[in-house]
């Protein structure tokens, strides 16, 4: 029997006051490539040959920046740096 894990869309408090569609629009305007099922499969976007994972499910909102995509193994091994969401917004 196969089980499929799909997350539900986050609420405004998890996304620092933005709705899910506003957040996706912000990412697209900043030049990130998104999958259609962005929130269902891990909230991962791509830009400049790197993967960015947006972690809103903890108490704080973080952005994990991966190593180059060709060297990517899995998130536990391939995170180059983790930054807070507000610091990411400023850059």
């Amino acid at each position: 029997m196969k089980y499929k894990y799909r997350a539900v869309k986050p609420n405004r408090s998890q996304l620092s006051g933005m709705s899910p569609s506003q957040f996706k629009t912000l990412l697209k305007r900043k030049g990130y490539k998104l999958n259609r099922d962005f929130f269902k499969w891990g909230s991962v976007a791509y830009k400049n040959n790197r993967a960015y994972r947006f972690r809103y499910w903890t108490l704080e909102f973080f952005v994990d920046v991966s190593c180059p995509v060709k060297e990517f193994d899995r998130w536990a091994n391939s995170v180059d740096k983790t930054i807070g969401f507000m610091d990411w917004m400023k850059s």
Side-chain angles (χ1 to χ4, degrees):
M1 180 181 225
K2 290 186 177 181
Y3 294 99
K4 291 185 179 181
Y5 172 76
R6 289 189 180 196
V8 295
K9 285 187 180 179
N11 55 29
R12 286 182 183 266
S13 64
Q14 291 173 313
L15 293 176
S16 300
M18 292 182 277
S19 71
S21 64
Q22 288 173 331
F23 181 64
K24 283 176 66 173
T25 302
L26 172 78
L27 291 176
K28 288 178 184 179
R29 286 184 178 173
K30 286 187 169 245
Y32 289 86
K33 301 292 180 189
L34 310 174
N35 293 335
R36 182 179 179 134
D37 297 330
F38 176 73
F39 289 111
K40 292 182 181 178
W41 298 109
S43 303
V44 178
Y46 299 92
K47 183 177 179 182
N48 297 334
N49 197 25
R50 293 189 183 268
Y52 294 80
R53 180 174 63 172
F54 297 89
R55 289 190 290 142
Y56 51 83
W57 53 86
T58 58
L59 294 176
E60 294 183 47
F61 196 172
F62 291 107
V63 180
D64 293 328
V65 182
S66 76
C67 62
V69 174
K70 288 185 178 182
E71 300 171 10
F72 187 84
D73 178 33
R74 60 188 176 119
W75 282 105
N77 297 338
S78 302
V79 174
D80 276 351
K81 63 181 175 178
T82 301
I83 55 177
F85 181 71
M86 291 302 169
D87 294 332
W88 174 82
M89 285 285 289
K90 293 175 186 174
S91 64

